[in-house]
Amino acid sequence: MAEPWPKRAPRRVNTSSSNVSRVYDFMLGGKDNYEADRRTALRALEIAPDAPEAARANREFLGRVIRFLAAEAGVRQFLDLGSGLPAQENVHEIAQSAAPGSRVVYVDHDPIVLVHARALLAVNARTTVVEADVRDPDAVLDDPDTRRLIDFGEPVGLLMFGVLHHLADHEDPAGVAAHLMARLPAGSHLAVSHFHNPGMDHPEASAQAYSAEKLFHETLGTGRWRAREEILACFDGLELLEPGLVPLPEWRPHPDDLARPGVSHHTLVGGVARKPQ
């Protein structure tokens, strides 16, 4: 019988400390995680027992956004920053199903993500994975593999699902998003999901957000549950599409959605914006 958890990690992978992508993988029911990741995830579940539902809500939001961009907005090329470990219905699978011929560049700097992504994409000529850090946006855009697949004369779908909240305030997440969008043509779209602290509008959720942020900094070294105004700053200069910046299940919900977050409903929000002419 196969072991339920991996025994060996790819080279360069540190399994002694927890990792953002692998903790998220655990929350989604995946197997690409290790003991340190599971310890962090179990501590997170003590704070937010519905965290797996929030993770599923993020995946469903991703699916709805990609289908909208590919099927309705006419976007045919995507940059997925901080793409994380492959899961069911990955960006290229959704986009190419909605619009055959769509091109996708996955970007990450996590060794285990790169190993799994390259194995998954080995047979897909319209998809590639780039090793780069979102904190260096020019390195992302100027990478030869990015430029091989992305035509910067045509609109791009810039995907930042669950990545900006892992940039500290001094790393200027809104500035990173603005720098990237400044180099993309009109008609490009920015999609963001982000940890959210709703403050006194939802006191229980706010308390959960503070506790989760403390845990993430202790175990992962990153994670910011930002106020609404701070997250909206990532869309400055863009046209925020309806219904705006909302809890993920409220962004153009679909009858097939299954995720049902509880308190965490208010601690993860998302939105999509378009770069005007």
Side-chain angles (χ1 to χ4, degrees), residues 86-244:
Q88 289 184 338
E89 284 204 303
N90 296 290
V91 170
H92 71 284
E93 294 165 329
I94 300 168
Q96 291 170 359
S97 175
S102 294
R103 305 181 303 283
V104 178
V105 175
Y106 292 102
V107 180
D108 213 299
H109 65 99
D110 183 333
I112 196 169
V113 170
L114 298 169
V115 167
H116 285 271
R118 285 168 178 154
L120 175 70
L121 304 176
V123 296
N124 194 310
R126 294 183 177 271
T127 308
T128 192
V129 57
V130 166
E131 182 175 6
D133 193 320
V134 67
R135 296 171 182 84
D136 188 355
D138 288 326
V140 171
L141 299 179
D142 294 333
D143 186 277
D145 280 336
T146 300
R147 303 195 73 82
R148 176 173 60 83
L149 282 186
I150 300 296
D151 177 356
F152 288 94
E154 299 293 332
V156 176
L158 180 63
L159 313 177
M160 305 188 84
F161 297 111
V163 61
L164 290 174
H165 54 228
H166 289 298
L167 299 189
D169 291 347
H170 73 270
E171 292 171 316
D172 190 14
V176 168
H179 187 107
L180 287 160
M181 289 302 294
R183 291 194 53 186
L184 300 182
S188 294
H189 289 69
L190 170 65
V192 170
S193 64
H194 199 296
F195 291 152
H196 174 233
N197 189 325
M200 292 313 297
D201 289 342
H202 299 280
E204 185 179 0
S206 181
Q208 183 191 89
Y210 280 119
S211 296
E213 184 170 295
K214 182 175 184 293
L215 172 64
F216 270 48
H217 278 272
E218 290 174 355
T219 57
L220 298 170
T222 68
R224 279 281 284 115
W225 275 251
R226 292 188 166 94
R228 178 178 178 82
E229 293 73 19
E230 293 176 293
I231 303 170
L232 282 171
C234 298
F235 298 105
D236 281 355
L238 307 177
E239 298 172 346
L240 192 61
L241 305 184
E242 291 294 336

Side-chain angles (χ1 to χ4, degrees), residues 20-42:
V20 171
S21 294
R22 300 193 308 255
V23 171
Y24 183 55
D25 174 77
F26 177 89
M27 292 298 184
L28 288 171
K31 301 300 183 192
D32 294 314
N33 49 78
Y34 300 92
E35 183 61 31
D37 310 305
R38 297 191 282 276
R39 285 197 301 268
T40 295
L42 292 174

